[in-house]
Amino acid sequence: QVQLVESGGGVVQPGRSLRLSCAVFGFAFSSYGMHWVRQAPGKGLEWVAVIAYDGSNKNYIDSVKGRFSISRDNSKNTLYLQMNSLRVEDTAVYYCAKVHQLWSGLGAFDIWGQGTMVTVSS
Amino acid sequence: DIVMTQSPDSLAVSLGARATISCKSSQSVLYSSNNRNYLAWYQQKPGQPPKLLIYWASTRESGVPDRFSGSGSGTDFTLTISSLQAEDVAVYYCQQYYSTPPAFGPGTKVDIK
């Protein structure tokens, strides 16, 4: 069964760090670009970061550049998001999502995880 | 960066009636070399992750009911629900994946009148 399972969310103080994981099941993880998308409480969807199928290319929304780092371990079928210097405005549900096209970094997101909540508060 | 807008912000439609949502991009998302529009539509119900409905602007994802259809090209797109069902109550988002950042529209909330 194709599935993405996020973990690692929680409550953290401003300026601290958190590492999110997204475990992948049921498809050839190493063949697809992967993304992180977030949704602040009561708000819309905001794209955060992308990583190519082989990890060779990464990109971020401007507001997280220099603070967040996306990575993947294809041998463990796992995607990561390292979040440093967290701010109150980073509070959101974080989703990992799979691109529908083989080998492509950009594409429609056909599989989503259930999300993990990150709350940044003092 | 490409900016996505949607209209209306919300709409209420009677059961069995048609619902139409508009999405506009600030730049064309039509890739001339393959004549494909890099535009997707998602449905999100409360407490759930988004679900892909339509990609390439008009291709229905496997398992999506045929009452959902997408149309448009370039910068103007439409999602149509031909006969609204109770289970279609949700927020609908369009998204361009033509360039990074792959931006989402602000969403349109669909409810029953």
Side-chain angles (χ1 to χ4, degrees), chain A residues 2-4 6 22-37 49-51 53 72 79 95-113, chain B residues 42 50 52 61 95:
Chain A
V2 177
Q3 198 175 2
L4 305 178
E6 301 97 338
C22 170
V24 167
F25 304 92
F27 67 92
F29 177 62
S30 60
S31 301
Y32 292 90
M34 297 292 295
H35 294 248
W36 287 99
V37 176
V50 57
I51 186 167
Y53 66 95
R72 64 192 296 158
L79 174 73
Y95 297 101
C96 56
K98 166 190 168 290
V99 172
H100 77 298
Q101 260 193 301
L102 268 172
W103 315 122
S104 179
L106 280 179
F109 302 158
D110 62 344
I111 305 295
W112 296 66
Chain B
Y42 301 87
L52 177 63
E61 173 72 332
Q95 179 215 15

Side-chain angles (χ1 to χ4, degrees), chain B residues 94-111:
Chain B
C94 61
Q95 179 215 15
Q96 67 82 15
Y97 50 96
Y98 181 89
S99 65
T100 302
F104 293 90
T108 294
K109 186 175 182 180
V110 174
D111 217 332

Side-chain angles (χ1 to χ4, degrees), chain A residues 30-86:
Chain A
S30 60
S31 301
Y32 292 90
M34 297 292 295
H35 294 248
W36 287 99
V37 176
R38 68 185 179 184
Q39 187 169 35
K43 303 297 184 183
L45 302 169
E46 180 179 52
W47 174 81
V48 174
V50 57
I51 186 167
Y53 66 95
D54 59 356
S56 61
N57 198 21
K58 306 173 186 180
N59 217 327
Y60 304 88
I61 193 173
D62 284 349
S63 60
V64 309
K65 281 180 182 175
R67 301 189 298 122
F68 288 15
S69 178
I70 189 172
S71 62
R72 64 192 296 158
D73 186 336
N74 286 347
S75 68
K76 295 183 178 179
N77 284 353
T78 304
L79 174 73
Y80 303 99
L81 185 68
Q82 178 67 43
M83 305 186 295
N84 299 330
S85 302
L86 280 161

Side-chain angles (χ1 to χ4, degrees), chain B residues 18-94:
Chain B
R18 178 185 300 262
T20 302
I21 300 169
S22 173
C23 171
K24 294 182 187 296
S25 57
S26 60
Q27 304 170 37
S28 175
V29 298
L30 173 63
Y31 194 39
S32 55
S33 66
N34 59 12
N35 202 37
R36 281 181 163 174
N37 288 284
Y38 284 53
L39 190 285
W41 288 96
Y42 301 87
Q43 174 194 66
Q44 187 179 31
K45 298 180 180 180
Q48 296 184 19
K51 173 187 175 183
L52 177 63
L53 297 176
I54 303 283
Y55 58 97
W56 301 134
S58 61
T59 301
R60 203 177 300 114
E61 173 72 332
S62 175
V64 173
D66 60 7
R67 63 180 180 273
F68 292 93
S69 64
S71 63
S73 185
T75 61
D76 291 90
F77 301 91
T78 301
L79 175 70
T80 301
I81 309 172
S82 61
S83 175
L84 191 76
Q85 304 300 303
E87 61 265 32
D88 300 335
V89 169
V91 179
Y92 294 83
Y93 296 92
C94 61

